[in-house]
Each structure stands twice: as C-alpha cells, then as structure tokens.
C-alpha cells in the first residue's frame, strides 16, 4: 500500500465513519480502503448536508417569526432578513458549516479521483468511480461559486473573484483563489469528462445517474446563459427521467398521511442531498414561507394544501400571512437542495422562453402544473412577449423550488438582467404593534448576495480573501 493510500484510509476513518451504517465500506478489523469496490462505495454518501443558514433569508421566499428578530442582538439571520448591508457580516461568520461541508466532500471526491487508479479491482469500475466522483465534485463547486462569488457574467467572469479549486488529494494544500470563469470551466470539464462513463441506473440512489448529470449540465449552461447548450442537456435529462408525482391524484389517495413517499421512493429525486439531514423538513420554524410566496399559491395548488399550514402559532405569527412545512419526513421526502425532475421542466421552459418559443415554454409549464393544480387554473395561456413568459417561469420556479438554494441563486443570476432584476422589499413587523413598522429593501446589485468567506478559513489560508469590499479584521 502506498503512503497516499494509507493517508486516504486514515482520512476516511476520521471523516466518513458516519456512513458505515449505510455502506459496508470499511473491512472489519482493518479500517482501510483497499479495493476498487471500496472506492466506488465511497462515492455513495448518504445524508450529505448543505446548510443554508448563512444566506437563507436573503430572499423574498423565506421569513422569520417576529420574536426571532425583535429585541435580539443582531446575528447573521437578522442582518440578512432585514437586508442590513452596512452591518458587519464578516465578523458574524467566524465559521461556516456550508463551506466546511462542501470542501469536506470535495476532499472525498479528490481522494477517489486521485487514488482509485492504484487500487485492486476492475478497470471499468475504476473509471466509473472516478466519473461519479467528478460529477459530485462539479456539483459542490457549482454551489460554492454561487454562494461566495458574483453570479456568472461573461463580460467580467475572467476578472471576478471566485473560490479555491482543490483538484488533487492534498491534506496540506493552501490553494490560491481562482476566478469565476476558471471555476465554471473546471465544473464544465468535470461534467463533460464524467458523462460518457456514467450509468443510466446506478446500483443505488446515492450514486449519480446519467439523468442527474445532464440536469446539472443544463443548469450550469443556463446560469451562464448558454441557452442552446442548456436546452440540449435538459432535453437529454428529460428523455432519461421526466417522472412527476401527480399531486392531484396523490391527494385523492389520502396524501402523505395515507400514502407515504419516503426518500428512496420519490420518483422525482435525481440526487439525495439535504439542508440539515434526512429529517430536516420537520424543523418547521426554520423554513417559514414568506407572506409573498404563500400568497402565490392558488387554493387548488396541492403543493401548498398537502404540505403547508398557516395555523400553528408556535412556529409563525398568526395574521402575518406566512406558512410553514407541516409533514413528517417519514410521510413524504421533500427535496430541497439536490436536483429533481420538476427542475428539468422549469429549465426547459426558461430555455424556450428565452428563444421566444412561448407556446413550447407554456406547454412545459402546463405539463408540470397539471400534476400540481386541480381544475382549470392549472393551464396557463400563452403570453405575447418574452418578459411575460419569463415572469411565469420565474414564478413557477418559486412555487416548485422553495427553501433550499434555488431562489437565492435565481435572484443572483436574474439580477444581472435589467428585465428580471428585482429589488426585494420587506415590511416588518406585520403583527407586533409595539415596534415601529419599517420597510427594508435589498437592491439587485447589493454586495449582500456575495457571502463572505468564514474567518477561520481565511486565517488558515492567506491566499483566500473576500470577493466584496468588506473589511477583514486581521
């Protein structure tokens, strides 16, 4: 066994033992990664978490209970919720679970990519393990670059500060920060390298499927506004897996209380990742939908009636018009940060809209809405302009993809286009009458959309500094 392989085994023991109950990845007694099968099994990582608490309230879709804001010492949640751009965010972010988790996963993918070739086993399995690890590495870098850097702008991406690219298994590396363009190039190369070797139906749902790969490829192209390429990739993903749950029929079967759909049985899921973990959606108070988003659901929309409520005063302020998720995780798996099939429909609708194919865009939206909304309100009429069609697509994305990264990322990318840029407006408080009600706004070009790197990481790596003009306290 080489020194690098031994280091990999030791790192695996420390970092990945939580997977043992799902994956028999470590031979009993030795605790070492030896074979190609061991490395392939390491790709499947149940319970991957991507905490959104550093930025979840910088959107118009989430809300905070008034008692979690009024009278409290400012914290990162209240600063973001009230859009307080001049507050010191940097000192608030001494560490970041999101940042640490992403790079921990990247270290795992790098270990597989770097070392699987030296392992004992089938060469085809080595190729598959490396391809799958590259797909997940692309996924993690896509999220890092969209949290910590400016949204992709072709005219400035080669100069805009990005994140550090770790492309090798090196426990002591202190990499320099790459540009947004370099990170996107790296992501796209990983995806394109991986796709020819992936399986349509992997051995278990924690490995990346070909449909997942094409969906992620489509998303990356879409965020770069490479519409022709995004459409082609999304159409391929749709051919591989376009399954939808008919929520209208699901309600008639009794919904989650009568017909549970747990994680592994949700046909819409393309990748299993979470905000906090497998049980995350039971933390209702953490995922309050804003009055604005709540008001966007029609009464006949099963996305709301099956899963949300306005009635529990423990979790929200009655009368504010907000709502929260109210279904046990054992009754329904509600994906938040991974990819799922409805997003393919929405990406295709956006591609068609941006190419002035309005009827095709609306047909795609209606195909999705017919499985969500009962009756005639499910079907949208075809607008006459690109702006009207895009507005319908954007609003449908809000209804279909709440809570995780989606709205935050959408606001960032759409704010680069004057037709779709939005100034967020928050009137607060709504219910409490003892505190002066104020209106808070967040401009489309606010630096708050670029999250500061955590202080502990910047202290360890002097090559890494903020992508904003905020001060670092050292």
């Amino acid at each position: 066994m080489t020194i690098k392989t031994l280091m990999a085994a030791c790192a695996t023991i420390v970092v990945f033992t939580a997977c043992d109950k799902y994956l028999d990845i470590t031979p009993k007694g030795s605790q070492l990664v030896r074979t190609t099968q061991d490395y392939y099994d390491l790709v499947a990582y149940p319970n991957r978490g991507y905490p959104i608490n550093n930025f979840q309230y910088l959107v118009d879709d989430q809300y905070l209970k008034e008692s979690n804001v009024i009278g409290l010492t400012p914290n990162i949640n209240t600063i973001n919720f009230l859009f307080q751009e001049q507050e010191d965010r940097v000192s608030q972010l001494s560490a970041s679970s999101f940042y640490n988790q992403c790079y921990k996963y990247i270290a795992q993918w790098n270990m597989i990519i770097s070392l699987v070739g030296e392992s004992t086993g089938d060469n085809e399995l080595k190729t598959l393990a490396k391809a799958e690890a590259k797909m997940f590495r692309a996924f993690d870098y896509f999220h890092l670059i969209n949290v910590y850097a400016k949204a992709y702008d072709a005219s400035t991406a080669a100069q805009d500060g990005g994140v550090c690219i770790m492309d090798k298994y090196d426990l002591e590396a202190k990499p320099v920060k790459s540009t947004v363009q370099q990170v996107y190039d790296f992501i796209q190369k990983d995806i394109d390298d991986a796709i020819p070797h992936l399986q349509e139906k992997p051995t278990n749902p924690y490995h990346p499927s070909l449909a997942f790969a094409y969906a992620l490829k489509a998303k990356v192209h879409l965020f770069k506004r490479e519409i022709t390429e995004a459409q082609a990739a999304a159409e391929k993903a749709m051919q591989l897996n376009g399954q939808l749950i008919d929520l209208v029929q699901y309600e008639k079967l009794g919904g989650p209380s009568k017909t549970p759909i747990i994680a592994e049985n949700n046909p819409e899921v393309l990748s299993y990742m979470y905000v906090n973990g497998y049980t995350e959606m039971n933390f209702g108070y953490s995922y309050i939908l804003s009055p604005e988003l709540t008001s966007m659901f029609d009464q006949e929309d099963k996305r709301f009636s099956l899963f949300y409520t306005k009635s529990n005063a423990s979790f929200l302020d009655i009368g504010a018009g907000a709502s929260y998720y109210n279904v046990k995780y054992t009754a329904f798996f509600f994906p938040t940060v991974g990819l799922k099939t409805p997003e393919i429909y929405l990406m295709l609708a956006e591609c068609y809209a941006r190419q002035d194919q309005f009827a095709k865009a609306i047909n795609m939206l209606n195909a999705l809405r017919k499985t969500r909304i009962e009756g005639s309100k499910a079907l949208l009429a075809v607008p006459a302009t690109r702006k009207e069609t895009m507005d319908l697509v954007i609003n449908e994305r809000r209804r279909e993809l709440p809570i995780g990264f989606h709205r935050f990322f959408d606001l960032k990318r759409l704010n680069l286009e004057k037709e779709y840029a939005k100034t967020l407006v928050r009137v607060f408080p709504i219910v409490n009458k003892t505190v002066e009600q104020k209106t808070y706004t967040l401009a489309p070009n606010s630096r708050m959309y670029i999250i500061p790197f955590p202080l502990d990481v910047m202290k360890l790596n002097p090559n890494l500094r903020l992508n904003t003009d905020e001060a670092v306290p050292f």
Side-chain angles (χ1 to χ4, degrees):
M1 179 179 292
T2 67
I3 293 297
K4 286 172 68 179
T5 305
L6 181 59
M7 289 172 64
C10 293
T12 302
I13 294 168
V14 173
V15 177
F16 307 124
T17 51
C19 295
D20 287 355
K21 64 180 180 179
Y22 296 100
L23 308 168
D24 189 17
I25 59 174
T26 45
K28 293 185 183 298
S30 64
Q31 296 282 311
L32 298 177
V33 181
R34 296 180 183 274
T35 69
T36 302
Q37 186 66 48
D38 292 335
Y39 282 102
Y40 175 69
D41 289 343
L42 280 176
V43 178
Y45 194 152
N47 216 33
R48 276 163 59 193
Y50 296 85
I52 60 175
N53 50 296
N54 293 167
F55 52 85
Q56 74 181 89
Y57 296 111
L58 287 170
V59 295
D60 45 8
D61 285 357
Q62 287 201 48
Y63 206 67
L64 268 171
K65 191 176 180 182
E66 293 176 6
S67 60
N68 290 329
V69 180
I70 297 171
L72 298 186
T73 301
N75 57 63
I76 195 62
N77 284 342
T78 62
I79 290 170
N80 288 342
F81 181 73
L82 299 177
F83 308 143
Q84 295 173 322
E85 185 169 330
Q86 299 310 312
E87 287 286 340
D88 180 9
R89 297 188 300 166
V90 179
S91 296
Q92 293 281 344
L93 293 172
S94 57
S96 168
S97 296
F98 173 82
Y99 188 94
N100 293 341
Q101 292 288 84
C102 284
Y103 276 106
K104 181 177 80 170
Y105 303 145
I106 287 169
Q108 179 167 348
W109 315 140
N110 284 341
M111 182 183 72
I112 296 166
I113 294 164
S114 297
L115 303 182
V116 69
E118 301 177 14
S119 65
T120 302
D122 180 75
N123 286 332
E124 288 187 5
L125 189 60
K126 291 178 183 179
T127 300
L128 178 60
K130 184 179 288 190
E132 290 189 350
K134 284 188 174 185
M135 275 307 310
F136 281 155
R137 186 169 69 178
F139 179 89
D140 288 326
Y141 274 117
F142 179 77
H143 289 86
L144 283 166
I145 197 66
N146 279 286
V147 169
Y148 294 104
K150 179 183 173 184
Y152 185 90
D153 182 341
S155 65
T156 63
Q159 291 79 46
D160 293 333
V163 298
C164 293
I165 295 176
M166 300 280 287
D167 62 348
K168 298 180 181 64
Y169 181 67
D170 185 345
L171 297 177
E172 298 181 359
K174 291 185 178 179
V176 298
K177 186 172 67 176
S178 298
T179 66
V180 170
Q181 184 68 57
Q182 289 170 328
V183 177
Y184 266 89
D185 289 346
F186 184 81
I187 291 167
Q188 290 185 283
K189 186 176 186 305
D190 263 358
I191 294 172
D192 291 339
D193 285 351
I195 280 178
H197 308 292
L198 295 177
Q199 297 173 322
E200 184 174 340
K201 294 184 179 179
T203 55
N204 70 53
Y206 298 108
H207 288 272
S209 68
L210 201 52
F212 165 79
Y214 276 107
L216 182 58
K217 179 178 174 63
K219 191 167 186 174
V220 173
H221 283 302
L222 185 64
F223 275 48
K224 293 180 69 181
R225 289 179 293 287
E226 296 170 347
I227 304 306
T228 301
E229 295 89 341
Q231 178 183 325
E235 288 174 342
K236 183 65 176 176
M238 180 76 79
Q239 292 170 9
L240 291 162
N241 187 355
Q243 297 181 79
L244 295 172
I245 298 173
D246 190 330
L247 295 181
V248 176
Q249 295 303 313
Y250 185 52
E251 185 185 60
K252 293 175 181 177
L253 294 173
S257 62
K258 297 292 185 182
T259 310
I261 299 179
I262 60 172
E264 293 81 1
N265 296 336
N266 187 329
E268 295 183 351
V269 177
L270 294 173
S271 58
Y272 287 92
M273 297 89 173
Y274 310 87
V275 172
N276 289 318
Y278 189 77
T279 64
E280 67 189 24
M281 294 308 296
N282 284 168
F283 299 106
Y285 64 91
S286 297
Y287 307 113
I288 301 176
L289 299 191
S290 68
E292 180 179 331
L293 178 56
T294 299
S295 69
M296 290 173 62
F297 289 95
D298 291 322
Q299 185 175 353
E300 298 83 1
D301 197 324
K302 307 309 176 186
R303 287 172 295 195
F304 189 87
S305 62
L306 282 171
F307 303 112
Y308 294 93
T309 183
K310 302 178 184 179
S311 63
N312 193 320
S314 297
F315 293 156
L316 47 76
D317 302 300
I318 302 298
S323 57
Y324 75 97
Y325 190 83
N326 190 38
V327 175
K328 293 180 180 179
Y329 75 95
T330 52
F332 194 93
F333 173 61
F334 190 91
T336 53
V337 296
L339 285 164
K340 61 178 185 174
T341 55
E343 191 171 1
I344 302 174
Y345 287 76
L346 293 163
M347 289 192 291
L348 278 173
E350 181 171 341
C351 290
Y352 296 145
R354 287 182 179 275
Q355 296 175 91
D356 296 334
Q357 299 178 54
F358 307 139
K360 291 184 73 171
I362 297 305
N363 286 342
M364 197 58 59
L365 291 183
N366 285 343
L368 174 62
R369 287 170 60 88
K370 284 190 293 187
T371 67
R372 271 48 181 161
I373 303 170
E374 186 171 15
S376 60
K377 287 189 177 180
L379 300 182
L380 300 169
V382 178
T385 68
R386 180 187 299 185
K387 176 66 166 61
E388 291 173 299
T389 309
M390 278 291 293
D391 285 346
L392 291 175
V393 174
I394 292 166
N395 287 339
E396 206 62 51
R397 288 184 64 88
R398 293 180 68 181
R399 286 184 284 261
E400 186 65 39
L401 305 171
I403 297 169
F405 304 124
H406 304 288
R407 184 57 178 165
F408 180 65
F409 289 175
D410 280 351
L411 284 166
K412 286 184 71 165
R413 68 184 179 96
L414 294 169
N415 280 342
L416 295 180
E417 302 175 78
K418 63 181 181 180
E419 300 93 331
Y420 314 119
K422 180 177 181 179
T423 297
L424 302 192
V425 178
R426 181 108 68 206
V427 177
F428 186 86
I430 298 174
V431 176
N432 189 308
K433 303 302 181 186
T434 65
V435 177
E436 181 186 3
Q437 187 180 79
K438 295 182 180 179
T439 299
Y440 303 88
T441 60
L442 185 67
N445 63 349
S446 171
R447 70 183 184 186
M448 293 192 79
Y449 282 113
I450 302 173
I451 306 305
F453 296 117
L455 290 174
D456 60 344
V457 175
M458 289 193 288
K459 287 178 181 178
L460 288 173
N461 184 0
N463 296 323
L464 183 66
R465 287 298 178 264
L466 303 178
N467 289 322
T468 66
D469 59 355
E470 295 165 273
V472 177
F474 49 80

